[in-house]
Amino acid sequence: MNISKMNDREQQMIEARKLRKKDQELNNPCFKEQNLSQKCLETNQYDYIKCDPYFENYRTCKKFWGMIMSRRKWEGTTPIVPLPEEREKIKAEYLYSRRT
């Protein structure tokens, strides 16, 4: 009986982690880049030089979405952080505007 309680507790912890991850994906448009940077560090025994391209990509992502969120706030668009389903469209529009 004690084992089943532990399993229930473990299951609750797993569910809580999934919810936190989902919240991070919702609230952090650079969640993927953040994870890739962290994974690179772990894989390369925290050799920051080897992971510099990942850090640069993360910084670029943060700058881009910071600019988007500032614009949305100024325009009164809500939510300020675009929903995940909107993000690809926003990136495509930005890239298209840079070509012309």
Side-chain angles (χ1 to χ4, degrees):
M1 192 152 164
N2 193 13
I3 293 174
S4 77
K5 282 187 178 181
M6 286 181 60
N7 287 337
D8 288 343
R9 177 73 176 141
E10 289 173 0
Q11 190 65 29
Q12 288 174 345
M13 290 174 64
I14 290 169
E15 292 301 317
R17 274 189 226 127
K18 286 180 184 177
L19 285 174
R20 279 194 304 271
K21 182 178 178 187
K22 191 172 190 106
D23 286 346
Q24 288 178 346
E25 290 171 347
L26 184 64
N27 296 317
N28 180 1
C30 299
F31 183 67
K32 181 176 106 180
E33 290 80 0
Q34 178 182 343
N35 283 344
L36 289 172
S37 297
Q38 188 63 38
K39 190 178 222 179
C40 179
L41 285 174
E42 291 168 1
T43 302
N44 291 296
Q45 290 76 42
Y46 292 86
D47 184 345
Y48 286 80
I49 293 170
K50 288 182 180 176
C51 297
D52 193 53
Y54 290 95
F55 298 144
E56 185 60 34
N57 190 37
Y58 179 64
R59 282 189 293 269
T60 301
C61 181
K62 293 297 277 185
K63 278 185 203 175
F64 173 76
W65 289 109
M67 177 187 70
I68 297 297
M69 288 185 280
S70 292
R71 186 181 72 199
R72 288 170 69 98
K73 185 176 182 179
W74 183 78
E75 292 172 346
T77 305
T78 56
I80 293 172
V81 178
L83 297 173
E85 53 270 11
E86 293 179 272
R87 293 175 189 164
E88 286 303 316
K89 181 182 174 195
I90 291 170
K91 285 193 285 188
E93 288 172 356
Y94 177 78
L95 290 173
Y96 181 76
S97 73
R98 301 281 295 179
R99 289 183 191 154
T100 56

